Amino acid sequence: MNQKVTIIGCGWFGFPLAKHLLELGFQVSASKREASSLESLKDEGIKAFTLDLEQELTGTVETIAPFLQSEYLIVTVPPRLRRQTSSTFLSQLKKLMQIIDVEQYNKIVFTSSTSVYPDIDKIMVEEDATSHSESSETMLAAEDLFLKHNNGYVLRFSGLMGPQRPPGRFFAGKTQIPAGDKVVNLVHQTDCIQAMVSLLTADSASKVYNVCSPHHPSRSEFYTQATRELGVELPEFLNDGVHGKEVSGSKISCELGFSYQFDDLFVALKAC
């Protein structure tokens, strides 16, 4: 396979994705914000380049143009909404869209979040996304930048877990934690990678897919076990009988034949 993939944002998800795509025979180019971070990518055989969308790109476009010449473009730039405004994040994505030739790609995939679904007692499918908060409005606006193109697609990831992201660290030793009966919506890094490959290699696909484990234990069940796995102090939850939203990640399985490796989140904990 000689097809080329360019990944914008080669971090916690992008780096293992890039390595897996190399194993499958793709040629992979990937960006980091700082030049000092490129060596680890190059050591893996990744064609690495710097791209900081927070900076002016004068003089940068011609330099990175060869890296952008691919059949597929993956944009996995998480919004840092705690340290930047929504408009800043959107302006960065718009800047990216201005420097690429959209039509050259077979597919452009943007990684989004299932936070676009309101937290109500309902099973959420791809059509249920609403602008129910500032962050959800931002993410939907970001998705639209890509979905308006015929070759644009979106993968909405639920809460991410995996290497260097053990969920037990969130509630270790805490007490009186509300909403213990709410179900969790999580997905392991490995399944995110495999879902991306399924979308890239599909002959035809829908524009938007959720990627979320089909296993939805309660917060109290899951995070108690998660802290136990880490060997830290167990949390104490308050149970109020509220189920909360349950994100369905079945569409990608039905349409693309994708199978979740971690369809049991308690097993997934052992791979964090």
Side-chain angles (χ1 to χ4, degrees):
M1 181 183 295
N2 293 314
Q3 290 186 309
K4 298 178 181 179
V5 178
T6 297
I7 301 173
I8 304 298
C10 200
W12 182 83
F13 170 66
F15 190 31
L17 171 65
K19 291 193 288 185
H20 184 67
L21 290 171
L22 284 172
E23 292 173 357
L24 295 178
F26 286 91
Q27 296 181 46
V28 181
S29 298
S31 74
K32 297 284 286 185
R33 295 176 62 206
E34 299 179 356
S36 59
S37 303
L38 299 184
E39 287 305 315
S40 59
L41 277 63
K42 292 178 180 178
D43 289 344
E44 297 290 341
I46 299 166
K47 298 177 181 178
F49 63 101
T50 55
L51 177 62
D52 186 351
L53 294 172
E54 293 186 7
Q55 304 297 322
E56 290 295 327
L57 299 182
T58 304
T60 302
V61 178
E62 291 185 2
T63 303
I64 68 173
F67 298 100
L68 299 175
Q69 300 299 315
S70 298
E71 280 81 19
Y72 304 97
L73 181 71
I74 298 169
V75 182
T76 176
V77 181
R80 294 181 293 277
L81 296 181
R82 292 182 180 179
R83 59 179 292 266
Q84 66 183 19
T85 65
S86 299
S87 60
T88 300
F89 175 63
L90 291 175
S91 67
Q92 291 172 14
L93 293 179
K94 290 176 182 177
K95 189 184 298 183
L96 173 64
M97 299 303 284
Q98 290 172 354
I99 66 174
I100 63 174
D101 179 5
V102 173
E103 300 301 325
Q104 76 172 346
Y105 300 104
N106 294 337
K107 289 175 183 170
I108 301 176
V109 184
F110 174 67
T111 60
S112 184
S113 166
T114 58
S115 64
V116 296
Y117 303 113
D119 190 12
I120 57 178
D121 286 14
K122 181 181 177 181
I123 296 177
M124 295 290 174
V125 297
E126 285 76 359
E127 293 75 23
D128 292 325
T130 60
S131 298
H132 59 89
S133 64
E134 182 179 357
S135 61
S136 64
E137 182 178 355
T138 299
M139 291 310 297
L140 289 173
E143 290 183 6
D144 285 342
L145 293 176
F146 298 88
L147 293 176
K148 67 183 180 181
H149 300 285
N150 291 333
N151 57 350
Y153 299 84
V154 167
L155 287 182
R156 292 176 182 154
F157 294 153
S158 285
L160 297 168
M161 58 188 292
Q164 289 82 54
R165 287 199 180 185
R169 72 191 192 280
F170 292 118
F171 295 115
K174 295 183 178 181
T175 61
Q176 301 293 303
I177 306 169
D181 288 324
K182 281 190 175 181
V183 298
V184 299
N185 298 286
L186 296 168
V187 64
H188 193 276
Q189 180 191 78
T190 296
D191 283 323
C192 293
I193 291 171
Q194 295 295 343
M196 180 66 74
V197 173
S198 293
L199 177 55
L200 291 181
T201 58
D203 291 332
S204 62
S206 293
K207 299 283 281 183
V208 180
Y209 290 107
N210 295 332
V211 186
C212 181
S213 170
H215 186 209
H216 300 275
S218 70
R219 276 160 47 98
S220 60
E221 290 175 317
F222 178 77
Y223 286 105
T224 298
Q225 182 59 31
T227 53
R228 187 177 289 120
E229 290 282 345
L230 286 181
V232 295
E233 186 177 357
L234 301 183
E236 296 179 5
F237 286 86
L238 300 174
N239 299 319
D240 53 13
V242 177
H243 183 273
K245 69 179 178 184
E246 180 179 317
V247 176
S248 173
S250 63
K251 181 179 179 180
I252 191 171
S253 297
C254 294
E255 294 189 0
L256 303 186
F258 167 74
S259 296
Y260 288 91
Q261 179 175 329
F262 292 104
D263 56 2
D264 183 325
L265 290 178
F266 295 123
V267 174
L269 283 172
K270 300 182 182 300
C272 291

